[in-house]
Amino acid sequence: MSIRKRIFDKVSVLSIDYYDRQPQSKKELLFIYWVLFKATLSAGFNVMNAAYRLRNCKTGKMVTVKGRLKILSKGKIIFGDGCRIWSHIGTTQISAGPRATIEIGENTFINTGTIITSRKYIKIGKNCQIGNQVIMMDDDFHDVNERESKSGKDNIIIGDNVWVATRAMILKGVSIGDGAVIAAGSVVTKDVPAYTLVGGVPAKFIRAIEKPSIES
């Protein structure tokens, strides 16, 4: 995609946001370009913010962080190219314990107030959308019957193009297939097949999602 096309698309989206239509005067168009200019400056700052906040992590190109992200990296935390993490409204927290690994694929977006805690292995695929205040934990930390005992830990694997909506919770041992959608407020305790919508407590199958066609 050319730079001109990208600018045109951005202007179109911003115009809908501000006017619910395309600009109809020079004044309106100049205002939209001003908003785009400020957003570009902010994006540059977010790249620098990511370099500082994620200094103890392995990061790809053009990773951005908006706000004061909390990172605890006693293990490994890996961010792919183009990851975006927001932490400006609610604080996002990402924690990898000793020998644990958190791997986040390229172009994945993590919204504000999300908590990702690993004591073994959590993998989030490419192009995923993680909503506000989502919680992922690969360890229960306490046994149900014996509160002082550990209950064990197990991997969380999330495929590509997955949307985990607001306040959903992903528990240990869960695999979520490509293109799946987890409804807001769900508690996921079992595997989710690819291209399905699940929801509820505990999360259950709601319906299948049409798989995108591959253009030749």
Side-chain angles (χ1 to χ4, degrees), residues 66-69 85-92 109 111-113 132:
K66 187 175 185 179
R68 297 185 176 184
L69 172 70
I85 304 100
W86 282 9
S87 185
H88 59 298
I89 298 174
T91 301
T92 296
F109 171 63
N111 214 331
T112 62
N132 299 78

Side-chain angles (χ1 to χ4, degrees), residues 31 46 71 93 96-97 105 115 119 122 139 149 158 185 212:
F31 173 74
N46 291 341
I71 290 281
Q93 305 171 55
I115 299 173
R119 293 298 177 266
I122 296 177
D139 191 341
S149 300
I158 297 175

